[in-house]
Structures are given as structure tokens and as C-alpha cells.
Amino acid sequence: MTMNTTGESPDSYAHPDPPTMALRKIPAQPPEAGRTGDPAQAGHPGAVPQPGIPAQPGTPPQAPATVPAQRQGEAPAAPAASVGRSGLIMALGTLSSRALGFVRSAMIVAALGAAGLGDSFNVANSLPNVVYMMLMGGVLASVFVPELVHAAQTHKDGGVAYTDRLLTLCGTILVVLTVGAWLLAPWIVDLYSNFDGAQRDLTIAFARYCLPQILFYGVFTLLGQVLNSRDRFGAMMWTPVLNNVVAIAVFGLYIVVGNGADKAEQMTSGQTMLLGLGSTLGIVVQAVGLLPSLRSSGFRFRPRFDWRGAGLTKPIRAASWALLLVVVTQLSFAVISRLSTGAGVRAAKEGLEMGLGNFAYTNAYQLFVVPQGVITISLVTALLPGMSRAATRGELTKIGSDLAGMLRSSAAMIVTATVLFVALAPQIADIAYGHGKVTAADSWVIAQALIAFAIGLPAFCAQYALSRGFYAMGDAKTPFWLTVVSTSVNSGLSAMAYWLLGPRWIIIGMAGAQSIACLVGVGLTGWALGRRLRKPVPAAAVTAPAAPDATMVLGLRRGGKPRSGLDGGSVIALHLAVTAACLPGAAAAVWLAGRITDATGGGMLSSVVGLAAGSLAVLVSLFVLARPLGAGSAVAPFARKLRIPYPEPAAANGNGKHRR
């Protein structure tokens, strides 16, 4: 997946999570500093964040708790917005961009198909993200906002000169990186694909037009982080919508004026230029779209090359573990990309007329990550400030209890999404991609890959959340080694699928490998985080953490409150209970969708009606059975979001069990 198809961070296709925490020690803060509520409540902490606490990639960082007097050249401090409101802005921007991203993907499918041409364009248009994130994106994501906030609070000029120097340095690196990647386009294409002949030439031509996106991805990230450091969150979340609008228009124009090519040999230079430059134009518009917000924030950029002695080496050096993590994830992406493109080549040689390559894998993955991007990232972003303050005070158990509460509160949404993916994958794939040159066989491959991906969705989301516990403690080294393990499992099992399975099943097997890697990753991450949270801390540094909401606890906690606070057994039991509540509805959904298809003869309308009827069946099953199965506490917040009346679960009694 790429940023320009979904509006998310450029590294989103890399399956392990990217770094989000600054790698310098968080300054100590008094427990009450800046608080306006209880930060322990997942998804609705009322705390004003502290300096040095960064945000998730592609999501707004939080405002510092202590705002200094306005300094020369510094924009007036914005009032601290509630975390809930910022989360809503993030979610709405993400949903809008993803919705248009699927329209854009449908246009690409309609224009190029799901096999040779589609694979060539997908690989070429992914390369700018890959190169950018491999060599620079991780550094920016992990250190930029914290350093800007720190400079704004400690420098006499409010960090104006420091910001200009950092922007100039990063901009210079981006220009050099873009030119070098453009010159090395043939070698980069060979690294990430198994193409030869006309298809390789076409992919290189696409790459020449797309690789300049590296510069504009970087500019977008740099300017967006400047805005985030000034509490301007909306623009960076919404300008990807402009990118998708441009891309939709470009591919629509191609369909109208030049949609005659079915093979690489038939693509003209003009058609290649239209699609390649049009895609790059979308990224340019996305970056330029930040300028009005920058101007209104009071930011004025002046290039400064006096880098020596300006303190710029410290943040770059601090990001070494973050950069290593990005390198590992992108190397894993290279393996996955080569295997998936190779699967398409093998299928074509055996005469299989269906999309069995990179296109199917990428687009199934794009559907799979939607719940994580919309639900998990927003909730975890809201928790990070409180967890980071708890780490500073030595309240490690509170980090675990906050994460456990977040996993409980999101369980109904994540599990429901998983069940819908598994039960209604054919309808979902047909609605998202069944357009233009995509055949029923192409949609079948995407649907089966989506099912294989979806099995690991709860583990995928939980691993992302649990890894934030390490970043809250300023530890990026442990997530790096956990990422090495999970990416190795994914790459190794994907290679086994490539060599052991027939071409028809390779992509589906690779998607299953991702799910197995997620299960291994969440198990190791939970074990490692639990050990870390149970480490003793000086008694003087610890204050009693806020108790989690009793109504969110399932079953009896043996031996009292767990020292780590993660309460893994209870969280797993809750997810299993929610799954059990959804299963009868899932069976009904499969039956209903099948009957609707038989009655209507298939087609887009049939898929839409089948998806609607099946989703309703799953939701009814969930809401009816959740309370008897002890999962009402997780379903109640989900019902409120859907504006569905749902009785609050009974408060827990003394031994931790619900009174029904």
C-alpha cells in the first residue's frame, strides 16, 4: 500500500509498525501538570500532553502542557484542543482519504487491469515511498516534532532559526536522494520486481516519472510536522484527499482518451507519461496544499546553511534505532514485492488468466489495514501522552492498564471487522475493485487473500498498540529486535509459499504468512512488554495508578491486580467472547450473500445488497449475544458510536465478575 492510495503514512505497506517515539529521555513532569481529566480513559484522555512526546506517523502530535511566552517569530500558541476532538479530526481525515483511495484504486484497476500493466504501475508507484522511508522517513517520523517543540521552548527566538536550519538540511538531502534514485531507477526496479522484457522497460519508464515523488513526499512530511508542532492538525490529515482527487481525474482521463493497451508492448510513451506524471502531480498538490495553513500559522521559511554547531547532529544520531527499524521493514517489503511479482510472472507463463501477482496482494492488504488505521492508531495516539508521563513517574503498571483498556474498548470494532472480512470478502473485493478490466477471477484472488490477511487482524492491531508501550518508555531498541523477528517470519513463510504452492495459491499463502507473523509478533511483544513493565522501580518514584474501569474487566483476576497491568488472559478472553458472539451472524451473512447472488445473478448491486444484509446479520448477532457471553462491556462503546441503544453492562462485584 502506498500513501497516495490511502492517505496514510508512506511506510504503511511495510507490515511491522514504524517508530513513533523520540529517542531522547522525556523530561520529568509533575503528575498534575496540564491535566484537565483522566488520561487513563482509552480513547478519551483529558490530559494535555507534555513536551518530548511525539505522535503516530500521519497523525497529529499533541500540544505541550506548558506553553512559554510568545517569542520572536513564533506563532501565537493555540488553545490546547481536547484529545477526543483531535482524534475525531484524524479519523474523519483518514476515512475520507481512504474512501477516495479506494475510488482511485478502482480507477487504476479499470484502466490497467489486475495483471501485467497493473503490476508494473503498482511497483513503480510504490518505489518513491520505499526509497523515501528507507533512507529518511524514519528519521523524520521519530525526531522532527519533538525537536521542534523542544527548540520552541528553549531557544531565545522560539526555535525559528533551528527550524529553518533543519528544514534546509532535510530539503538538501531530499534533493540529492531524489536525483540519485532517478538515476538508479533500473537497478531499483530490478531489486523490487522479477520483471523482464517489455514489462521491465515499462516499469522503469513509470519509475522515472514517479521517483520525483520522493522530494514531494519529504516536503509534505517536513511541512506537516511543522504544522503539527504548532497545533495545526487538520491540514496534514486532509490534503491527501486532494492527491486522490487528482489521481482519479488522471486515470479517468486515461480511460477516456487512451485505454486501448492490454500488454506492456502496447503502452505508448504518451500514455506512460500521462499516468506517471499525473500520479506525481497528485503528490505535488498534496504538499502544496499545506501552504495556506503554514501561512496562517505564522510560519515563514528562510533557507539557512549554517549547520555547523547548530545542534542538528543530535536528533539525527538519536534516530539510529528508528532508522534501522525502517530499513528492516523495507527490506522485508523488497522480499514480499519480489515474491508477489514473481508469482504473477509464473502465473502468466502457465497461462492463468487472472491477477495472481503484486496487484492482488497489495490491494487485499489495503483493505486489511483500514480498521487498524481508523481505530487502533487513533486510540493509541490519544493514550501516548498519559503513558509517557506514567513512564516518567515510574508508574509502569499504568502503561499496561492503559493499553489493556484500549484493547478492550476496541475489541468489538476490530473483531467485527475481522468477521466481516472473512464472511463477506467476495462482496467487499467486488465493490472495491470489481470494475473495468477486472474479472470475476481477479476479484476472487483479492477476496481469498483478504480472508487470509483478516485472520491476523486482531493480532496486527494489538501488536501495534503494545509496541507503543516501549516507545512511551523511550525504548526503540526492543521494538527493533521484535520487528526483526516478525519480518523474518513473514519473509521466510512467504518464500516457502512461493516455492511450495502452485501459482494459483501463492498470493493467498503469502497473505497467510503475514497473519502467522502477526500472531508470533503479538505473542513476543506482549511477553517482552510484560517483563519490562514488571521491572521494579524506586518506591519514591511510584504513585498509585488510576484503576481501570471495572466494567471493562472480564472474569476473575487471580492473585490480585497483575503487576504488568496488561491482564493478557482477560483481554484474550474478551476477544474470544466477542468472536463467539459474531459467529452465528457470520454464518447467516454467508448464507444471505449467497442467496442474494443466486437471485440476482451477481454484479455490483448484488454485492452491495449482500454486504449490507450480511453486515446487519453480524451486528444483530453481536449485540444480542455479547452480554450473555460476558462481552457487553466491549460492545457498549461500539453501539454508542453507531447510535444504537444498548444497555450499559452491570458494574463488577467485589471479585471482578459482572453482575448480570
Side-chain angles (χ1 to χ4, degrees):
M1 180 189 318
T2 61
M3 179 176 176
N4 46 339
T5 60
T6 66
E8 64 189 2
S9 60
D11 60 332
S12 58
Y13 185 75
H15 311 314
D17 50 86
T20 61
M21 195 67 196
L23 307 185
R24 56 185 173 82
K25 185 174 178 60
I26 302 170
Q29 301 289 341
E32 69 280 0
R35 288 195 180 187
T36 60
D38 181 11
Q41 299 303 317
H44 191 66
V48 179
Q50 307 295 323
I53 301 174
Q56 304 297 322
T59 60
Q62 310 297 331
T66 306
V67 180
Q70 184 180 344
R71 297 183 177 92
Q72 178 185 358
E74 185 179 7
S82 69
V83 175
R85 184 171 180 271
S86 297
L88 179 62
I89 293 174
M90 287 187 284
L92 290 176
T94 300
L95 282 171
S96 300
S97 183
R98 285 178 185 272
L100 282 175
F102 287 123
V103 176
R104 176 186 184 275
S105 296
M107 295 293 289
I108 296 176
V109 172
L112 301 178
L117 296 181
D119 279 354
S120 289
F121 179 80
N122 263 341
V123 170
N125 202 40
S126 298
L127 292 179
N129 293 334
V130 173
V131 176
Y132 165 69
M133 286 307 302
M134 175 84 78
L135 299 178
M136 195 169 181
V139 175
L140 297 182
S142 64
V143 304
F144 206 85
V145 169
E147 290 299 329
L148 291 180
V149 172
H150 180 71
Q153 293 185 319
T154 58
H155 294 193
K156 292 181 179 179
D157 65 347
V160 173
Y162 184 86
T163 301
D164 288 340
R165 292 186 183 104
L166 194 55
L167 285 174
T168 305
L169 173 61
C170 292
T172 302
I173 295 173
L174 282 169
V175 170
V176 174
L177 179 60
T178 301
V179 173
W182 190 87
L183 294 174
L184 296 174
W187 291 272
I188 297 175
V189 167
D190 289 340
L191 177 63
Y192 285 91
S193 71
N194 273 323
F195 299 146
D196 55 15
Q199 190 169 13
R200 176 180 181 272
D201 295 338
L202 176 63
T203 308
I204 293 172
F206 275 137
R208 297 280 195 193
Y209 290 117
C210 292
L211 283 169
Q213 295 173 18
I214 294 171
L215 174 62
F216 297 102
Y217 275 133
V219 170
F220 172 76
T221 303
L222 292 168
L223 299 183
Q225 302 311 314
V226 172
L227 280 172
N228 288 344
S229 71
R230 293 170 174 244
D231 304 318
R232 301 295 183 106
F233 304 138
M236 194 176 186
M237 299 306 299
W238 284 92
T239 50
V241 170
L242 300 176
N243 168 31
N244 284 323
V245 169
V246 171
I248 291 168
V250 167
F251 280 91
L253 178 63
Y254 172 81
I255 291 173
V256 172
V257 302
N259 190 25
D262 293 316
K263 298 181 179 180
E265 297 87 345
Q266 299 172 343
M267 286 288 290
T268 67
S269 58
Q271 292 170 336
T272 305
M273 182 173 66
L274 171 64
L275 299 181
L277 283 184
S279 298
T280 298
L281 176 63
I283 309 304
V284 175
V285 172
Q286 176 177 287
V288 172
L290 297 179
L291 296 182
S293 293
L294 282 166
R295 192 167 189 84
S296 66
S297 73
F299 175 73
R300 300 293 185 273
F301 172 63
R302 294 178 55 194
R304 299 194 59 153
F305 295 90
D306 52 337
W307 303 331
R308 185 181 297 274
L312 298 178
T313 57
K314 180 182 176 182
I316 301 300
R317 189 176 301 156
S320 58
W321 284 109
L323 184 60
L324 283 173
L325 186 147
V326 174
V327 170
V328 168
T329 60
Q330 295 305 324
L331 289 176
S332 174
F333 168 76
V335 173
I336 298 300
S337 181
R338 284 188 62 85
L339 292 173
S340 59
T341 56
V345 172
R346 284 179 57 183
K349 289 180 178 179
E350 296 193 15
L352 295 174
E353 299 293 334
M354 54 199 305
L356 290 165
N358 179 266
F359 184 90
Y361 188 95
T362 300
N363 286 285
Y365 185 83
Q366 180 177 331
L367 289 167
F368 157 72
V369 296
V370 169
Q372 188 251 13
V374 175
I375 300 167
T376 305
I377 289 180
S378 298
L379 292 176
V380 175
T381 299
L383 283 181
L384 264 176
M387 291 195 301
S388 300
R389 282 191 297 273
T392 302
R393 298 192 300 268
E395 299 175 1
L396 301 188
T397 301
K398 184 179 182 300
I399 296 175
S401 64
D402 282 356
L403 288 171
M406 175 263 155
L407 292 174
R408 292 186 182 104
S409 66
S410 64
M413 293 178 281
I414 296 298
V415 171
T416 301
T418 301
V419 171
L420 291 175
F421 281 159
V422 173
L424 299 170
Q427 287 72 29
I428 295 172
D430 189 49
I431 293 171
Y433 303 115
H435 314 282
K437 296 181 179 180
V438 174
T439 66
D442 298 329
S443 291
W444 179 86
V445 179
I446 296 174
Q448 300 310 306
L450 176 59
I451 293 172
F453 275 129
I455 293 171
L457 179 60
F460 179 73
C461 295
Q463 181 183 8
Y464 181 92
L466 293 174
S467 67
R468 303 311 100 178
F470 292 106
Y471 290 119
M473 294 181 284
D475 177 9
K477 182 178 180 180
T478 303
F480 166 77
W481 290 113
L482 291 170
T483 298
V484 170
V485 174
S486 61
T487 55
S488 298
V489 172
N490 188 21
S491 299
L493 292 178
S494 294
M496 291 177 62
Y498 181 83
W499 291 113
L500 298 179
L501 300 178
R504 185 184 298 272
W505 302 102
I506 290 175
I507 292 301
I508 301 168
M510 290 175 62
Q514 157 76 9
S515 289
I516 295 174
C518 288
L519 293 170
V520 172
V522 74
L524 289 176
T525 303
W527 172 78
L529 181 60
R531 286 193 49 167
R532 178 67 180 272
L533 295 178
R534 283 190 289 267
K535 283 187 176 180
V537 294
V542 179
T543 59
D549 183 0
T551 67
M552 300 298 293
V553 179
L554 178 74
L556 175 65
R557 291 181 173 183
R558 297 180 181 177
K561 183 185 297 184
R563 287 181 296 166
S564 72
L566 290 175
D567 200 11
S570 173
V571 172
I572 293 172
L574 180 63
H575 279 74
L576 292 176
V578 174
T579 302
C582 290
L583 287 180
V590 173
W591 184 85
L592 284 171
R595 298 293 76 74
I596 291 171
T597 299
D598 293 340
T600 60
M604 185 59 62
L605 180 60
S606 173
S607 295
V608 171
V609 175
L611 178 60
S615 299
L616 181 61
V618 171
L619 290 176
V620 169
S621 175
L622 172 67
F623 293 138
V624 169
L625 298 178
R627 284 175 63 84
L629 292 172
S633 59
V635 173
F638 184 29
R640 288 195 296 270
K641 291 181 183 297
L642 296 177
R643 302 293 190 268
I644 297 174
Y646 193 82
E648 291 290 337
N653 60 25
N655 63 8
K657 293 182 178 179
H658 288 292
R659 296 192 302 268
R660 297 188 179 91

